[in-house]
Amino acid sequence: MQTQNLIGGRWVGADSGATFAVTDPATDEHVADVPKCGRAETARAIGAAQEAWGAWRSKTAAERGEAVRKLAELMVRDQERLAGLMTREQGKPLAEARGEIAYAASFLTWAAEEGRRLYGEMIPASFANKRLLVMRQPVGVCAIITPWNFPSAMITRKLGPALSCGCTVVIKPAEDTPLSALAIGELCGEAGIPAGVVNIVTGTPAEIGDELLSNPAVRKLSFTGSTQVGKLLMRKAADNVLRLSMELGGHAPFIVFDDADVEAAVAGAMATKFRNAGQTCICANRLYVQAGIYDEFVGRLTEAVSCLKVGRGTDEGVQVGPLINDAAVEKVEAHVADARERGADVLFGGQRAHVAGGADRFFQPTLLAGVTGEMRLSREETFGPVAPVRRFMEEAEAIAWANDSDFGLAAYAYTRDASRCFRVAEALEYGIVGMNDAAPSTAQAPFGGVKQSGIGREGGKYVMDEYTETKYVSWGVSGA
Ligand code: SIN
C-alpha cells in the first residue's frame, strides 16, 4: 500500500514528518498513516507540475492518449486490490467498489480517445487577405480537489481529460480516502506518465487549498464536493481569476407518475437511493409519487427496502455499508428526527443499525411517508440511506416542487407517456435528467449541474472544454 505523497516523481513524506491516520469507517480500525502536508509541499508539487508541463504538452495527442489508456488498463488489472483498498477506507460494499474501479477506468479510456479529437477551426474571414484560425491548447497546471464518496472515479473523471488535453496536475484527495488516490499515483508511474505530470498531496485542507488557489502557476481548479466548500474555494479562486469546474451538491427529485412502470420505478428508486448508502450527489433525495400509483409504489418500495442487507462492505452480500464519519450519521439522524417531529411516518428503519463488530456508524435503510415541503430533508441534501416519499396530484405540482430548490444537479422521472417524457425533461431545471433511468452517469455523457450545483461539465466531449483554452489567430496573408 502506498502511503507517501507523490511530488515530482518521488514518493515523499511531509517536511515535518507529520502524518494523519486513515481509519476504516466500518470498524474504526487503523488502516494507514499518510503525510500531513501543508503549503510548502504543495508549492513544490505545483513547481514540479509547472516544470513537467512543457514536455507533456509537446507530446502528440496519441502519445498522451497511450499513457492515459495504459493507466486505465492497469486499474482494471488491479481492480480487486484497488476495490479492497477503497472499501477499507471508504466503507462501500466490495461489489460497489469493484464497480467504481471499472467506472473510474472508463473515464480514462474515454479521455484517451477524445484527446485525439481536439479539433480546431477555420472561420471564413471578412477580408480576402485574412485567415481566421481557432486552436485549442492545454490550460496548464490544474488543481484537482476530490471527495471521499467516489475516491477513484472523481479523480479519473478529472485526471483523464486533464492529461489528454496536455495539462499537468496537483491532486488533493479527501482526508478520509487518500489511499485510493495514492494507489492511482503509483499506477501513473507504471503507465509511463512522466515525473511531475501527476502530483498528489495529502494533509491539511486549508493550507493545501490556500497554496493551490494563490500560487500563480496554477491556472485552473476542478473541484467535486459540497456547495458550501465550493463557494469558499470560488471566493479564493477569484484573486487569480482561476478557471473553474465545480461539481457541487445536489438534491435530486425522483418523480413517479401514475402511468409509470411501477416495477421499474421501484427498482430505480432502490438503485439511486441506496447506492453508496445514499452518499452520492445524484442520489434521489425526495420521492414524489402521484396519487393513483402511490399506495402500490410505497408498498413495493417498503418491501424492497426491508430486504436490504446492512453491514461491513467486506462482508458477503452487504448492500448498505457504514456512513463515512460521525458527522454524517448525526446529519441523517437530525433529518429523520426533524421529519418525525413535523409529522412524517416511519414506514421502515429510522435509526442507527447495529452491526456486530462494527462501529456505531451504520444507519438503517429508511422509508418515510407523509413528508411535507418544510421538512429539512425536503430542502437539504441528506447524504444518507433515507427515502422520503410525498404524494402529488398533478404534473405541474410535482415539477414545481422539484424545481423549488437552490440545487440543480440530477432529477429523475418515471412515466410511459412519450409526450410527458419530453415535457418533463424540458421543464426540470437540472443538468442531468434520468428519464425512466436511475443510472444516467456514464463516461461519454456530460455530468454537471445548474444553479448552486456547479459550473461546467465532466464527461463526454464537453469535459475537454474544461481543460483547454480557445486561442484565436487572425492571420494576414500577403498576395491573397
Ligand atoms: C457524485 O456523487 O458526485 C458522483 C456520482 C456519479 O458519478 O454517478
Side-chain angles (χ1 to χ4, degrees):
M1 184 195 306
Q2 181 54 255
T3 57
Q4 296 292 82
N5 282 188
L6 180 58
I7 300 180
R10 290 180 48 239
W11 290 100
V12 294
D15 291 352
S16 64
T19 57
F20 65 96
V22 182
T23 52
D24 182 338
T27 57
D28 278 336
E29 274 165 21
H30 178 260
V31 180
D33 291 310
V34 298
K36 191 174 182 185
C37 290
R39 285 196 84 134
E41 298 90 337
T42 308
R44 279 203 295 282
I46 295 168
Q50 172 74 356
E51 208 181 310
W53 185 40
W56 183 246
R57 70 180 297 191
S58 302
K59 287 190 182 293
T60 64
E63 286 168 336
R64 288 193 298 264
E66 185 53 26
V68 174
R69 190 188 53 73
K70 179 80 184 153
L71 177 59
E73 280 174 13
L74 295 174
M75 288 190 74
V76 171
R77 182 198 70 187
D78 289 0
Q79 183 177 29
E80 209 49 38
R81 176 179 71 85
L82 297 172
L85 188 62
M86 187 189 298
T87 293
R88 284 211 72 197
E89 65 174 349
Q90 201 273 347
K92 67 177 63 178
L94 255 179
E96 280 193 39
R98 287 188 193 107
E100 182 179 337
I101 298 302
Y103 181 50
S106 75
F107 289 114
L108 298 171
T109 312
W110 173 265
E113 291 295 324
E114 204 57 22
R116 297 166 184 251
R117 294 187 275 271
L118 279 178
Y119 305 131
E121 247 182 335
M122 194 143 178
I123 304 173
S126 306
F127 302 96
N129 62 348
K130 279 195 174 200
R131 303 290 181 270
L132 313 185
L133 309 182
V134 178
M135 58 176 79
R136 295 170 78 186
Q137 295 189 301
V139 165
V141 176
C142 299
I144 290 180
I145 303 183
T146 54
W148 49 263
N149 60 344
F150 290 89
S152 294
M154 295 306 104
I155 290 179
T156 57
R157 182 135 83 180
K158 301 171 192 307
L159 179 66
L163 297 186
S164 295
C165 288
C167 299
T168 56
V169 305
V170 178
I171 301 170
K172 191 212 97 50
E175 303 83 89
D176 290 310
T177 56
L179 300 171
S180 296
L182 298 172
I184 291 175
E186 258 190 326
L187 295 181
C188 284
E190 199 181 334
I193 296 169
V197 170
V198 177
N199 303 274
I200 307 175
V201 188
T202 59
T204 313
E207 283 192 34
I208 297 173
D210 281 350
E211 186 61 34
L212 288 173
L213 298 177
S214 63
N215 191 310
V218 176
R219 300 281 176 80
K220 175 187 174 71
L221 166 67
S222 179
F223 170 73
T224 296
S226 71
T227 296
Q228 192 192 358
V229 174
K231 286 181 184 178
L232 202 81
L233 295 174
M234 284 171 75
R235 284 190 199 105
K236 291 190 177 183
D239 282 344
N240 283 352
V241 194
L242 284 192
R243 286 184 57 141
L244 295 174
S245 300
M246 309 298 278
E247 203 271 89
L248 308 177
H251 183 35
F254 186 100
I255 308 171
V256 185
F257 290 98
D258 279 347
D259 58 7
D261 173 343
V262 70
E263 202 179 322
V266 169
M270 292 298 294
T272 174
K273 179 66 256 183
F274 296 102
R275 168 185 177 219
N276 205 9
Q279 301 172 111
T280 90
C281 303
I282 61 168
C283 268
N285 216 44
R286 42 205 172 117
L287 280 63
Y288 300 143
V289 184
Q290 201 161 13
I293 205 173
Y294 184 90
D295 289 340
E296 185 185 356
F297 177 86
V298 169
R300 289 201 196 196
L301 190 64
T302 312
E303 201 183 320
V305 170
S306 68
C307 293
L308 285 172
K309 184 172 174 191
V310 181
R312 290 187 288 192
T314 44
D315 289 347
E316 195 54 39
V318 161
Q319 292 153 300
V320 181
L323 296 187
I324 189 69
N325 52 36
D326 294 339
V329 191
E330 282 154 22
K331 182 177 183 192
V332 172
E333 268 180 337
H335 275 204
V336 172
D338 171 79
R340 291 178 90 150
E341 271 163 35
R342 294 174 194 261
D345 299 319
V346 180
L347 301 186
F348 194 84
Q351 53 194 346
R352 290 182 193 224
H354 175 71
V355 169
D360 188 22
R361 214 165 281 126
F362 295 84
F363 204 86
Q364 294 174 336
T366 295
L367 187 57
L368 302 176
V371 169
T372 58
E374 66 277 1
M375 294 176 182
R376 273 186 74 186
L377 41 64
S378 293
R379 314 228 53 91
E380 299 168 28
E381 197 173 26
T382 305
F383 238 58
V386 180
V389 189
R390 191 173 174 192
R391 190 192 305 255
F392 72 91
M393 305 305 288
E394 302 295 335
E395 181 179 309
E397 187 181 30
I399 300 295
W401 289 352
N403 287 341
D404 181 19
S405 170
D406 290 336
F407 299 100
L409 185 55
Y412 305 88
Y414 277 74
T415 171
R416 282 193 176 104
D417 177 338
S419 301
R420 178 180 267 159
C421 284
F422 274 101
R423 214 167 45 235
V424 168
E426 285 170 9
L428 287 168
E429 294 167 0
Y430 287 80
I432 303 163
V433 175
M435 185 59 66
N436 298 317
D437 181 13
S441 306
T442 181
Q444 62 269 42
F447 186 103
V450 302
K451 300 191 198 167
Q452 295 190 23
S453 285
I455 300 173
R457 292 293 178 270
E458 299 192 306
K461 62 180 182 177
Y462 309 92
V463 71
M464 306 309 266
D465 294 339
E466 307 282 324
Y467 295 94
T468 49
E469 296 286 2
T470 301
K471 183 179 280 181
Y472 160 53
V473 181
S474 178
W475 189 351
V477 182
S478 50

